[in-house]
Amino acid sequence: LSQRIVRNCNDPLAIQPATLEVVVLRKEAGDEGLGMFIKSSYDGTHCITGTKPQSVANRCGKVNPGDEVIQVNYTTVVGWALKHLVDVLKEDPNGVVLTLKRRPRHLTVQGQLMRRVSPKKSKFFNNREYRDKLRSPTQW
């Protein structure tokens, strides 16, 4: 049943594994900001693209490129403008509590496996009928 659901699903987000993690970022004396680079999409999702070296976000070790910001201080920020998100991140001088959506490292942002399969080990490449139907990269 589950294989049929995955096969017939048209929504790629429905089959993407992800976890939510709550991260507490506490500023110390001398810290300027949290040190995160955030890119927002047209639909209001906010993705962390990197952190500054030796910043609060970098030192905590739990903020990674590709993480999506879901909540700030337990307030959902999906759909917000980037400027509004940045204002809320700067509000509390002591730090913030973030809820981050994280995908497993073996998946790309689109949810596709990044693992390469050796043709010799793949049962599909050992099947002559399947192998003959494959197009070469020059035919794409």
Side-chain angles (χ1 to χ4, degrees):
L1 177 64
S2 62
Q3 288 179 351
R4 186 168 22 131
I5 292 170
V6 170
R7 220 182 357 247
N8 295 332
C9 182
N10 293 328
D11 183 5
L13 295 177
I15 58 174
Q16 280 186 331
T19 58
L20 295 178
E21 183 173 350
V22 176
V23 176
V24 178
L25 299 178
R26 297 189 195 287
K27 291 184 187 175
E28 297 174 2
D31 285 332
E32 292 183 25
L34 298 171
M36 297 184 297
F37 300 105
I38 300 174
K39 181 179 179 181
S40 294
S41 67
Y42 69 93
D43 60 353
T45 57
H46 310 287
C47 187
I48 296 172
T49 58
T51 58
K52 291 181 182 178
Q54 303 305 315
S55 66
V56 177
N58 186 272
R59 286 193 310 258
C60 89
K62 295 183 179 182
V63 178
N64 300 303
D67 291 349
E68 184 180 333
V69 181
I70 303 297
Q71 293 181 334
V72 175
N73 296 330
Y74 303 105
T75 301
T76 302
V77 297
V78 177
W80 286 13
L82 180 59
K83 183 181 181 337
H84 189 199
L85 172 64
V86 171
D87 290 344
V88 171
L89 288 171
K90 291 179 177 180
E91 251 176 26
D92 190 344
N94 299 316
V96 296
V97 178
L98 300 175
T99 303
L100 302 175
K101 178 180 175 183
R102 179 168 295 146
R103 291 185 181 83
R105 296 284 172 234
H106 67 279
L107 296 177
T108 65
V109 176
Q110 292 80 20
Q112 300 168 344
L113 289 175
M114 294 183 353
R115 184 177 63 115
R116 284 188 160 174
V117 178
S118 168
K120 292 181 181 178
K121 294 180 181 178
S122 171
K123 66 180 181 181
F124 294 112
F125 279 89
N126 294 330
N127 181 336
R128 183 178 178 90
E129 182 181 327
Y130 177 80
R131 190 177 57 230
D132 292 342
K133 290 180 183 178
L134 288 178
R135 295 183 298 165
S136 71
T138 57
Q139 295 173 325
W140 291 349

